[in-house]
Amino acid sequence: MGREETVRNAERLVESTMNGRDASHNAAHAYRVRDLALSLAREEGLSNPSSPSYSPDGMEVVELAALLHDVGDYKYTKRTGST
């Protein structure tokens, strides 16, 4: 699976699990966090091969972490049954 497909699958997961939440933690929130995280990663040199911070997969890791950071958040998951 390529980077674009992985990111698109993560976006679909975000949309299916976070839509319907309040505006502070819906899918649009995850996209805003992604945009900010990628911008900061670029500023820190994560996407620049000549930078000591460079990592070939670094930008993908940052993007996926930012997108998925609230998926499964206990404040928004509904418990079913007893645990």
Side-chain angles (χ1 to χ4, degrees), residues 2-35:
R3 180 180 189 275
E4 288 95 20
E5 186 178 357
T6 301
V7 170
R8 185 63 196 131
N9 285 338
E11 290 171 341
R12 281 196 280 278
L13 178 63
V14 164
E15 290 166 11
S16 69
T17 60
M18 296 178 71
N19 276 344
R21 291 185 182 178
D22 65 89
S24 71
H25 281 85
N26 61 10
H29 162 73
Y31 297 142
R32 289 189 302 272
V33 170
R34 173 187 48 191
D35 293 344

Side-chain angles (χ1 to χ4, degrees), residues 5-76:
E5 186 178 357
T6 301
V7 170
R8 185 63 196 131
N9 285 338
E11 290 171 341
R12 281 196 280 278
L13 178 63
V14 164
E15 290 166 11
S16 69
T17 60
M18 296 178 71
N19 276 344
R21 291 185 182 178
D22 65 89
S24 71
H25 281 85
N26 61 10
H29 162 73
Y31 297 142
R32 289 189 302 272
V33 170
R34 173 187 48 191
D35 293 344
L36 180 58
L38 288 173
S39 176
L40 291 169
R42 277 190 290 277
E43 284 184 34
E44 292 297 320
L46 209 59
S47 64
N48 181 353
S50 63
S51 168
S53 300
Y54 175 73
S55 168
D57 299 319
M59 294 299 285
E60 182 178 9
V61 170
V62 167
E63 184 168 14
L64 292 172
L67 279 171
L68 301 173
H69 79 278
D70 275 333
V71 171
D73 186 319
Y74 75 94
K75 295 183 298 279
Y76 296 100

